Amino acid sequence: MTNEELIQTAEKVLNPVTKDGRLHGDVGAAVLGKNGKVYVGTCVDTPSWGLCAERSAFAAMITDGEYKFDKVVAVWKDDKTGKLYVLPPCGVCREFMRQIDQGNLESEVILGKTDVKKLMELIPYYEWPAPLE
Ligand SMILES: [Zn+2]
């Protein structure tokens, strides 16, 4: 699956819905697991807890028994202009991706049609620190 196809897959799950003043589904994510399957998710925003689209997609992947991924992307569409944006993952999602399997540090995060970074490039100082002398 190409990065463009993964971006399109993430776009397909966009479904913005406002419930009780909270916006859900305006960010979509798609992740290609090491098993070759694609998992999708959208963001959820409740007063008690919020979940990014990426972690929503990873939850589906983990539910299927997979913990490693090849690449991930999240997108948001501006309703006013119809333009699609690729969003970089937030810090919580970056750490989550690392913590579900350390091997994911080598996985790719899609940041645009031609812009891709390894997860480790997006998490400086991820290693456990040495004790103070
Ligand atoms: Zn996030």
Side-chain angles (χ1 to χ4, degrees):
M1 170 165 282
T2 67
N3 293 351
E4 182 80 30
E5 289 169 335
L6 204 62
I7 290 170
Q8 291 169 355
T9 301
E11 182 181 7
K12 285 180 189 165
V13 298
L14 290 174
N15 184 25
V17 174
T18 301
K19 294 176 69 68
D20 298 327
R22 312 292 292 214
L23 180 59
H24 309 272
D26 65 320
V27 178
V31 57
L32 176 62
K34 281 285 185 195
N35 59 8
K37 294 184 186 177
V38 175
Y39 304 90
V40 293
T42 63
C43 61
V44 180
D45 182 28
T46 65
S48 61
W49 192 62
L51 180 63
C52 296
E54 295 96 317
R55 279 178 284 142
S56 181
F58 280 112
M61 185 181 85
I62 291 167
T63 301
D64 195 35
E66 180 62 80
Y67 289 81
K68 294 182 180 178
F69 71 99
D70 281 334
K71 47 190 168 182
V72 64
V73 69
V75 301
W76 173 79
K77 185 179 277 184
D78 185 339
D79 287 340
K80 293 176 185 143
T81 65
K83 291 186 185 282
L84 189 70
Y85 294 81
V86 172
L87 304 180
C90 76
V92 174
C93 284
R94 295 175 197 199
E95 187 65 6
F96 180 86
M97 292 176 206
R98 181 184 74 84
Q99 290 182 356
I100 59 175
D101 192 295
Q102 294 292 324
N104 290 335
L105 285 165
E106 297 285 342
S107 302
E108 294 182 338
V109 178
I110 298 169
L111 301 170
K113 283 185 177 176
T114 59
D115 190 8
V116 175
K117 299 278 188 213
K118 285 188 175 184
L119 177 60
M120 69 171 52
E121 296 177 271
L122 301 180
I123 310 178
Y125 304 103
Y126 63 83
E127 294 172 320
W128 189 256
L132 294 175
E133 296 298 323

